[in-house]
Amino acid sequence: MLPTLLTVALVGATGVKQIIGPAVSFTLEWSIIGSDMHTCISAPNLNSSSYIAIGFSGTKVPSQGMMDSDIVAAYPTADGKGALTVLYSNTSAGYPGATPTLTISDPEFRLTDGTMQACFARSMTSGHNPIKNGQAVIWAIGPLADGKPTYHGADAHDPTGKTQTHRSDEVPAMKWM
């Protein structure tokens, strides 16, 4: 059984909002404007020693982990401004250390009353995985070590997503357009 996703129209005809991590209210919002996808991710109950991340993967494959994922990780910096870092993983687990090709623009970061939010734009054709319907998405929440994202922790298989509090590669394939 696939997880139930909450879909709500945003301001504007092309905006979509989905809770893709129901156990932690990990939310993905996007709108497509021209050849760019404007994306925001958020989750509540986080602090200045946490990060959130989203990964854009290829065709949905069961138990793929982080394999072939363009990842954007967002976290607070010592100066309070926040950073968005682009990564690429060519393995299913471990730190994503391969060379990223995804480029992002208009980065924004906020940590307000425990809710962390990161927004950015990306070209629909950028990265190892250009945006297309049927694409897999992964997400993660984890701690910082020395001011940088580190291992997020593991969660058992749960196709509903109701018990996954650290990460998931079980989000249903996305219909972006």
Side-chain angles (χ1 to χ4, degrees):
M1 177 179 214
L2 295 176
T4 303
L5 299 177
L6 174 64
T7 303
V8 179
L10 298 171
V11 177
T14 60
V16 178
K17 179 177 184 177
Q18 289 187 345
I19 295 176
I20 61 172
V24 292
S25 297
F26 192 103
T27 303
L28 168 63
E29 302 175 61
W30 77 90
S31 61
I32 296 172
I33 301 172
S35 61
D36 291 336
M37 183 167 82
H38 296 259
T39 306
C40 290
I41 56 174
S42 63
N45 304 315
L46 298 175
N47 58 44
S48 61
S49 60
S50 305
Y51 73 90
I52 57 176
I54 186 82
F56 303 93
S57 303
T59 304
K60 183 86 175 124
V61 177
S63 303
Q64 72 188 31
M66 298 186 310
M67 177 62 77
D68 188 31
S69 293
D70 294 307
I71 299 167
V72 178
Y75 50 94
T77 54
D79 62 8
K81 293 181 181 178
L84 277 70
T85 300
V86 177
L87 305 161
Y88 177 70
S89 181
N90 60 356
T91 62
S92 60
Y95 191 80
T99 303
T101 59
L102 177 67
T103 56
I104 63 171
S105 60
D106 304 321
E108 295 181 24
F109 178 85
R110 290 187 240 355
L111 178 57
T112 307
D113 298 328
T115 296
M116 191 174 291
Q117 181 185 51
C119 300
F120 58 92
R122 64 161 289 176
S123 166
M124 299 281 284
T125 59
S126 180
H128 290 87
N129 294 293
I131 297 297
K132 61 185 177 191
N133 287 334
Q135 190 171 27
V137 171
I138 60 173
W139 63 266
I141 293 174
L144 298 176
D146 297 321
K148 300 290 183 190
T150 188
Y151 181 60
H152 45 66
D155 291 306
H157 172 71
D158 177 5
T160 69
K162 293 180 180 174
T163 63
Q164 294 174 324
T165 59
H166 299 95
R167 60 98 198 123
S168 182
D169 63 351
E170 299 180 76
V171 176
M174 301 302 292
K175 183 175 182 192
W176 300 112
M177 299 161 272

